[in-house]
Amino acid sequence: MPLPLPRPPALLKGLVAIVLAAAFAAQAVAALLPHVPLLIAATTVSLATEGVLYRWQRGVLSLFAKSHADISVRHVLRDLLLVVGLLRLGEQDRETVYAPLVAGLLAFYVLHCAIQALSVLVRRTRTLPVVTRNIDASALRLSPAPSVLLRRPGHRLLVFGLPATAGLLAATPGDEPVYAAAGIALSLVLALTGLGALLFRLLPGRRPAGEQEVLAWFDAWLAEYRPTVGLYFSGGAASAYQANMWLEPLAKLDGKPVIVLRERFMVQKIAATDIPIVCLPKVSTLMRLEHSTLQVLIHPSNSGKTSQVLRIPTIRHTFVNHGESDKLSSCNPYAKAYDEVWVAGPAARERYALAEVGVEDKDVVETGRPQLDGLLPYAGPPAGPWTTVLYAPTWEGWDGNPGNTSVIAAGENLVRALLADPGVRLLYKPHPLTGSVDPRAGAADLRIRELIRAANRERTGPRRPPAGAEPARLTEELDRLTTADFRAGADTLERMLVQSAPEPGRAEAVARVTAAWEEAYWASLPEGEHQVITDVRPALYSCFNVADLLISDVSSVISDFLASEKPYAVANTSGLPEEVFRTAFPTVAAATVLTPDAAGVPSLLETVRHPEKDVLAEARATLKLRLLGPADPPSQERFNAAVQALCAEARDHRARVAERLAAERPAAELPGQRTEEPASGGAVLPTTAPR
């Protein structure tokens, strides 16, 4: 895998800025002298540098904007200097000849400002209070986005203003104002065309639905779809994996699932699914869920916006986390804000009790980990010539604890020790957030990747050729099923139009093709070749299924891997003695503990290849039961049962509130009440509960 391209150094950015400034200075000198060759050369360099800025050096554009020298100022100055040069070339009465050209230029810049103002208005009409995916929202008069040129002032001014600048340049050598007039006229035509296109979009029948119309449509959709259970998620772009791991269990539930998001960009970060997705950025819009049939919201993570949805009294809330480990984040005090906390097994229940963070034992429900039902169980030692080792370290975390990740202190040593064994095939899958807090982790990650690439170059022996075109064909089919084909420059509203209600059977097709893709992917790799895996595919659990051994840190990765009962090791970079380390982190109880120098790797590989030397097999089976709960009934069934029980509790609560309010005063006297007939088998929607 190639190294990511480095960011342009500050020196290069400064050089580009100096070149542009020097070009303007040379243009000014040439206009005042006047000196035609210098004027043409300086203007050409200036335009070329602008192109470089917009293509490769966007950071410099921000610097110019902060200095009040944005694209509009630079473009006006460039054309003004050309006009000054033309005026200085001939007789003194030339002002009357070029006055109409100056007026034309001024008119063009006025139109540019008008287009920008209309662009803002159009963008506002296309910013809906509800963003959807997998829902037919055609009733909202969705339409493709305007051209990128009409939405980005920098690009628009460069393109629309280029004919005027080119015309002025052409007029300079031969003193032919007709060229300048033709260029300015063409720029005016382009600007008027853009202005007309935006005005057309603001006509009553052409603009999307207004806010109140959208909210009424959303209420009607809720009433028609009648969701019962939802996944609530809010977070940064890199945190989407926390929600994505719950998509399949959510889709398999009995009832009508829905995904509720808060950030518009997150709609595209959610992985392929047929579950309806609604993004409700405003709190006032979010509160409309109070009057829906939604009974339970599942929370895979905590965020600042979680407290907003917890205010809805008609919905029961449960925290499922995005993985379980011995880290403090797995027993966060925030968990006591939820009605229930769902954990995999008894170990997590004990963890909350020992942490004393306010979560009562009666509110803890053991549901297992439904994502792990498809993991393949341990089938004995490696059957072929290669021992596949998965090194999947976690990230550095927010607290600066050196024991969070092994990448910094032990990663390179572990990888060197594994690569030194000629019978090892290494799969390296770092956490997506590696290096996001501590630059040392990012640097170590890059060095590890280079070690793996170097080992692949030096590896000798028989190599199996890639398995034909099947992986490429399946990748294309999977991309077709899971990736929306957006037009370049599509905005949120256009994406809603493209990502309408899915075709029947798409989810089943995705599952079938994904399984075939994973099988073809692993078969296509050259035999024994080490792999750096950072793409979405193959998924972590697919790596579990092909691995003979896992090396990781104290994280949910080892808890999940235990479902297979395969050998695993944990790197101890905490500085604690091994005995204390095992006591502090119960998930390490059945692991081989590795020191930062990786001295124990050879003996670890020996136990993997010779199970009779594996003294931890029985401990893994015991720990699996403690961490993940019993295998029967399957986790998905236990998860579904917990959802149904909490839904029943929510319905009972709504009925009690409605009955109490009805007894206190007649419904007709209650302000703002809504009464709805219950659907067959559904619950009566309550009136608004008092705060």
Side-chain angles (χ1 to χ4, degrees):
M1 175 178 291
L3 289 171
L5 293 175
R7 293 183 178 180
L11 181 61
L12 181 58
K13 292 182 178 180
L15 181 61
V16 174
I18 291 172
V19 169
L20 186 59
F24 273 113
Q27 192 182 8
V29 171
L32 293 173
L33 286 177
H35 191 282
V36 173
L38 180 60
L39 183 61
I40 295 175
T43 305
T44 303
V45 171
S46 175
L47 286 171
T49 307
E50 291 282 3
V52 171
L53 288 176
Y54 274 89
R55 180 63 180 87
W56 292 292
Q57 296 286 322
R58 291 184 176 272
V60 181
L61 291 175
S62 176
L63 177 64
F64 277 121
K66 291 177 181 178
S67 305
H68 298 282
D70 59 13
I71 180 62
S72 299
V73 173
R74 298 196 302 273
H75 208 82
V76 169
L77 179 59
R78 189 180 297 114
D79 287 350
L80 179 62
L81 290 173
L82 284 173
V83 171
V84 170
L86 287 169
L87 291 175
R88 299 269 301 169
L89 283 173
E91 304 297 331
Q92 295 300 317
D93 61 350
R94 297 172 57 79
E95 288 84 352
T96 57
V97 176
Y98 284 94
L101 301 182
V102 174
L105 276 176
L106 292 175
F108 169 74
Y109 289 114
V110 169
L111 287 175
H112 168 70
C113 295
I115 291 174
Q116 183 59 24
L118 285 179
S119 177
V120 172
L121 290 177
V122 170
R123 184 173 69 247
R124 289 179 179 176
T125 65
R126 297 179 63 82
T127 304
L128 306 185
V130 178
V131 181
T132 67
R133 184 176 137 194
N134 298 335
I135 298 174
D136 182 5
S138 57
L140 302 180
R141 299 190 297 279
L142 308 180
S143 61
S147 168
V148 172
L149 287 178
L150 299 179
R151 291 150 49 197
R152 298 180 182 174
H155 292 74
R156 180 176 65 248
L157 194 53
L158 280 175
V159 174
F160 285 9
L162 185 60
T165 304
L168 290 169
L169 269 176
T172 303
D175 191 17
E176 296 288 347
V178 65
Y179 295 132
I184 293 172
L186 181 55
S187 289
L188 286 171
V189 169
L190 291 175
L192 287 170
T193 302
L195 189 71
L198 291 175
L199 284 171
F200 183 73
R201 286 179 173 271
L202 291 174
L203 294 176
R206 294 291 177 175
R207 67 177 66 184
E211 180 174 357
Q212 293 307 313
E213 187 178 351
V214 173
L215 294 177
W217 170 88
F218 179 58
D219 289 340
W221 179 83
L222 287 173
E224 179 183 1
Y225 180 66
R226 299 187 64 79
T228 56
V229 57
L231 182 76
Y232 178 90
F233 190 73
S234 171
S239 64
Y241 73 95
Q242 300 172 356
N244 288 334
M245 68 171 59
W246 286 99
L247 296 182
E248 187 174 349
L250 183 68
K252 293 179 179 179
L253 290 174
D254 296 333
K256 291 290 192 69
V258 65
I259 298 171
V260 180
L261 306 175
R262 302 301 308 282
E263 292 83 19
R264 297 175 188 271
F265 68 83
M266 189 61 70
V267 174
Q268 301 306 319
K269 296 295 182 179
I270 298 299
T273 180
D274 283 1
I275 302 173
I277 299 174
V278 295
C279 177
L280 311 174
K282 294 182 180 179
V283 178
S284 58
T285 310
L286 181 70
M287 291 298 112
R288 304 180 88 86
L289 296 177
E290 181 176 354
H291 301 289
S292 73
T293 55
L294 190 61
Q295 299 157 13
V296 168
L297 277 178
I298 298 170
H299 299 257
S301 69
N302 300 310
S303 74
K305 295 179 181 178
T306 300
S307 61
Q308 298 170 349
V309 75
L310 291 179
R311 294 162 50 191
I312 300 180
T314 58
I315 298 176
R316 285 290 183 258
H317 303 269
T318 180
F319 181 62
V320 295
N321 214 336
H322 50 275
E324 292 192 29
S325 70
D326 293 322
K327 291 189 291 189
L328 292 177
S329 58
S330 290
C331 49
N332 193 310
Y334 198 100
K336 63 187 174 185
Y338 302 94
D339 296 294
E340 291 184 354
V341 175
W342 294 355
V343 299
R349 180 187 293 275
E350 296 168 11
R351 189 183 303 121
Y352 274 108
L354 292 173
E356 298 183 357
V357 293
V359 176
E360 299 185 27
D361 187 71
K362 66 179 179 62
D363 296 327
V364 179
V365 179
E366 298 175 27
T367 63
R369 288 276 287 168
Q371 298 92 337
L372 308 179
D373 286 351
L375 284 188
L376 299 178
Y378 177 65
W386 306 103
T387 301
T388 300
V389 180
L390 172 63
Y391 178 38
T394 189
W395 66 304
E396 57 268 28
W398 300 109
D399 56 7
N401 189 328
N404 286 341
T405 180
S406 60
V407 169
I408 299 174
E412 293 171 83
N413 293 334
L414 289 169
V415 169
R416 285 193 185 96
L418 292 168
L419 296 177
D421 189 308
V424 164
R425 176 179 69 152
L426 175 61
L427 308 179
Y428 174 54
K429 188 172 179 61
H431 192 284
L433 296 179
T434 298
S436 61
V437 172
D438 191 337
R440 294 179 302 164
D445 170 57
L446 293 178
R447 291 194 296 270
I448 289 172
R449 299 186 192 197
E450 183 53 40
L451 285 173
I452 294 172
R453 279 189 288 270
N456 279 333
R457 289 193 295 267
E458 297 174 3
R459 172 151 277 185
T460 59
R463 303 291 297 277
R464 180 178 60 197
E470 184 65 7
R473 184 190 67 79
L474 290 170
T475 297
E476 184 178 345
E477 184 176 356
L478 198 53
D479 288 342
R480 180 183 61 81
L481 289 169
T482 61
T483 306
D485 187 15
F486 295 129
R487 183 177 59 92
D491 61 1
T492 300
L493 194 145
E494 182 174 341
R495 293 188 177 99
M496 286 177 59
L497 177 64
V498 174
Q499 295 176 308
S500 187
E503 298 178 2
R506 186 183 68 171
E508 292 77 7
V510 169
R512 182 179 64 256
V513 177
T514 298
W517 181 91
E518 290 177 349
E519 182 179 355
Y521 171 81
W522 296 115
S524 70
L525 299 178
E527 188 174 1
E529 184 177 81
H530 309 298
Q531 300 295 322
V532 177
I533 302 173
T534 55
D535 292 335
V536 176
R537 299 192 293 262
L540 178 62
Y541 296 156
S542 179
C543 297
F544 283 0
N545 283 336
V546 300
D548 300 304
L549 166 68
L550 168 72
I551 299 178
S552 187
D553 306 319
V554 176
S555 69
S556 61
V557 172
I558 59 177
S559 303
D560 288 352
F561 189 77
L562 262 172
S564 68
E565 296 189 32
K566 296 178 183 179
Y568 72 103
V570 179
N572 178 12
T573 56
S574 65
L576 299 173
E578 181 175 331
E579 297 268 337
V580 179
F581 184 64
R582 289 185 181 276
T583 303
F585 303 106
T587 53
V588 185
T592 298
V593 176
L594 297 174
T595 53
D597 61 4
V601 167
S603 59
L604 170 63
L605 293 172
E606 186 72 10
T607 63
V608 173
R609 291 162 179 160
H610 302 281
E612 67 276 7
K613 300 180 181 180
D614 183 4
V615 298
L616 295 171
E618 186 176 342
R620 289 196 298 273
T622 302
L623 185 59
K624 172 188 173 182
L625 184 64
R626 184 164 175 260
L627 290 179
L628 303 175
D632 190 32
S635 294
Q636 182 65 42
E637 291 185 19
R638 297 162 62 196
F639 181 64
N640 185 63
V643 169
Q644 301 311 315
L646 199 55
C647 282
E649 183 180 325
R651 291 194 298 269
D652 291 343
H653 172 261
R654 293 183 179 197
R656 289 195 303 271
V657 171
E659 184 179 350
R660 184 173 67 250
L661 290 176
E664 289 177 355
R665 70 170 89 169
E669 298 178 8
L670 292 176
Q673 300 302 301
R674 292 173 52 184
T675 58
E676 293 188 25
E677 293 295 328
S680 177
V684 177
L685 293 180
T687 53
T688 304
R691 300 288 182 183

